[in-house]
Structure formats: C-alpha cells, structure tokens
Amino acid sequence: MSKPTAGEYDFIIIGGGIAGASIAFELSLSKNILLIEREDAFAYHTTGRSAATYIELLHNRTIVALSRASKGFLNNPPSGFTDIPLLKRCGCIITANITEQHSLESAFQQAIGYGTEAKMISAQEISKRIPFIRTEPEVIFAGVYEPQAQHIDVDGLFQGYIKGIRARGSHTHTRTSILEIKRSDGYWHLQTSKHSLRSPVLINAAGAWADSVAEAAGATPIGYEPKKRTMITFDAPANVDISAWPMMGNISGSFYFIPEAGQLIGSPADETPSPPCDAQPDELGVATAVYNIEQHTHLQISKINSKWAGLRTFAPDRLPVVGFDAGTEGFFWFAGQGGFGIQTAPALAKLGAALALERKETEVAKAVGIDLTLVLPDRFR
Ligand SMILES: Cc1cc2nc3c(=O)[nH]c(=O)nc-3n(C[C@H](O)[C@H](O)[C@H](O)COP(=O)(O)OP(=O)(O)OC[C@H]3O[C@@H](n4cnc5c(N)ncnc54)[C@H](O)[C@@H]3O)c2cc1C
C-alpha cells in the first residue's frame, strides 16, 4: 500500500459541532480523519447553545428510535471517554389547556405507541412537582409526563468525542477556513487558509452552512432551513429548591423552562427562519420568553441573567440527511440535526460511519430501528 502524501486523509469532515465530532470519532476507529472547524473553538455554534436535554415526547418515530439507540452510549460511554455521567434524570412535562386536550391525548398516544414511558397527569399533579404553575383550565388543564427525560452533559459528550478522535491518531483543526474545494482524480482537493489537503471523501457536517458547503463543492443543496431559537436564564424564586423540578413546556410550543444549577433556563420555543450566521438573541424573542413563561406560571422574571440564541437547522422533512450524494462523487451529507442533534448523536454517528464506510448499513439501520430511506439524501433527488 502506498504511503499517503502529506495533507491526505481517508475522510475530511467539515464542521466541528456535535455532528462532525461524533462521526469523526466513529470513523477514526479504522480511518485517518481530519476534522475542520472555521471558528477559534469547536462547538461554537449550535452545539454550544443547546438546551442539553434528552426527550422523546413530541419527536417522530425516527428521532425517537435514534435517541433511544443513543441512550446506551450516553449511559455507558466507551472506556476512557469521560469521567462524568453524561445523563442526569430530570423528567419532562408537556402541558395543555382545556381546548388543547385532543392534541395532548394524541401526543400521549404517539409516545406510548413508540414505547416511551409516559403518563397523563392533571394540573393538580403537575403543581405538586412545580408549585408555581397556574392551574386554571384555560391555562393548564393537564399534561403528559415523561419521567425518563434527561439532562445531557453536552460538554462532557463533546470533549469525549474530540479527545477520542485524537487518541485514535486522527486530526482536528480549528481556525481553518476553506478557500477552494475541487474534485479531480478521485479526490477532493481543499485549499484552506493554512493547508492544501486531499481526501477521496468529503463529509459535510457544517450545520446551518451545509448547503453553502455543498454549493462550494458543486453539489445540489438540500434546501436546509436554519431556524433561530432564543434562550434566557433567570433566578429561581427566592428560597425555593427547584432541583427536583422537571423540565416543563406546552403542547402548542410557546415556551419551556428547565431547572439548571440553581437557576432556570427558559425559551419561547421560537423557530424564526434565519440565514446561516452567528445567531444573537433579539428583544422580541427575550420578551416573548418572559411573557409566555409568566402567563403559564406564577414565576416573576424581573431580571435576565443571560441570554443567547442558536440555529436549529432542518431539512424540509425535519429528518437528518445522512449518506453519499448520488450526483456528486465522494460527497457525503451529515447535517439537518434540527433540535435533536445532541440526543441522537451516538446512534446517528454510528449509522453515518457505516454508510460512509459502505458497510452493512442496512444492518445498522435495523439495529437502530429506523427506515434507512427516510434519512438518505436520495429522498430529495
Ligand atoms: C436553543 C437550542 C436548543 C437545543 N436543544 C437541544 C436539546 O435539548 N437536545 C438536543 O438533542 N438538541 C438540541 N438542540 C439541537 C442541537 O444543538 C443541534 O442539533 C446540534 O448542535 C447540531 O450540531 P451540528 O454539528 O450539526 O451544528 P453546529 O454545532 O452548528 O456545527 C457546525 C459547525 O460547522 C462549522 N462550519 C460551517 N461551515 C464551515 C466551513 N466552511 N469550514 C469550516 N467549518 C464550518 C461551523 O462553524 C459550526 O461550528 C438545540 C439547539 C438550539 C439552538
């Protein structure tokens, strides 16, 4: 076998968020990988801005299957991956007012149908767990409770992936901008701000920029839609222990809040279309979060401790896109992780790696419990 030339890799992965890092980790078990990130630090964009939860309620069958197939890894990561637990049980309640009972019942039936542990609870039962909720039927009438919803240590998961990639002998570059991408002689040739690189396969894990990377490589874009979501933190009520509160949101998707390290993280659950960018919170998003949380509870948010926004990037059918592009040789899609990219990362990365290595991918899909055709890029072609 000829020795690879300098700057040559089996796979070059563009995008140092959870998507790029997780698939790089899986592939680096047997291949020489380069993971490229444009920013000064990995996980600077969406991955570093998530709500850090594992929830099955309200997700479709494919996302539930990918999440559940990830739980083994999250509960019991490979040896040496991390010293800290990646999951901590918090539970989650989705509420409805009296006019939304039908939607709540459908969400409950769907969850049960997918095998999620869930139960219907009354407003009075919810108020035993979160005493500050409003229990008028036109505000909160009932809820679905998912006791096994979890908080995810995203930093622990992400750093475990990066450490693992390096320990397996593969490479990671930050502060690397791609100036040109060309295909010739069975290779992608990348000119970056620092290096000339080549690889037979280019993995597009560029999150909100996935379509831009495709265009630069001459591939047809998928039509991804980045959507901005706003987050705030605020103090818990004085002298109230919130550590056992579950996460709570509503079925119409106008707010949620999560206890975290003595304060509350809140969101208006917004989905504002945005171009790919360094998303920033705006006044309307913050004010809507405050208003909607106050409308559903007796919490008074007099001071915002911090605020941020991130882009959740969806393919038109809101499922991830994983696999080789049929029209562009050696171009592999791994983007569209929407609002579920952390909780699905381990299983999606294993599936992505199997597809990229052209190994028994249908067996992996079967093991994960998904219909592979629903995630392949061919569905848009
Ligand atoms: C507010 C919010 C709450 C969320 N809550 C949850 C949750 O509770 N649970 C959950 O599972 N998921 C959640 N998500 C979703 C999750 O965070 C995303 O699905 C996931 O982080 C997407 O990861 P990614 O790697 O695809 O994108 P990113 O993390 O954005 O990574 C893509 C990277 O590609 C880089 N890049 C782009 N173009 C180039 C280029 N040309 N050259 C080099 N690098 C490039 C970017 O700089 C970026 O760092 C949430 C998201 C948000 C915004």
Side-chain angles (χ1 to χ4, degrees), residues 5-29:
T5 58
E8 181 176 334
Y9 299 88
D10 297 322
F11 295 87
I12 293 178
I13 301 171
I14 301 182
I18 195 79
S22 58
I23 194 168
F25 175 80
E26 292 300 335
L27 287 169
S28 61
L29 200 54

Side-chain angles (χ1 to χ4, degrees), residues 14-21 36-39 41-55 152 176-178 205-210 213 227-231 256 258 267 308-313 334-344:
I14 301 182
I18 195 79
I36 297 178
E37 169 55 46
R38 184 170 47 199
E39 303 289 352
F42 290 117
Y44 173 77
H45 286 287
T46 309
T47 298
R49 307 177 190 204
S50 88
T53 57
Y54 174 107
I55 295 163
I152 306 174
T176 302
S177 292
I178 293 154
W209 290 267
V213 167
K227 296 184 184 223
K228 184 163 97 167
R229 175 150 292 182
T230 311
M231 307 292 280
Y256 63 79
I258 312 165
S267 174
W308 69 94
L311 299 179
R312 297 153 78 245
T313 296
F334 199 59
Q337 271 78 337
F340 45 79
I342 312 291
Q343 67 183 54
T344 56

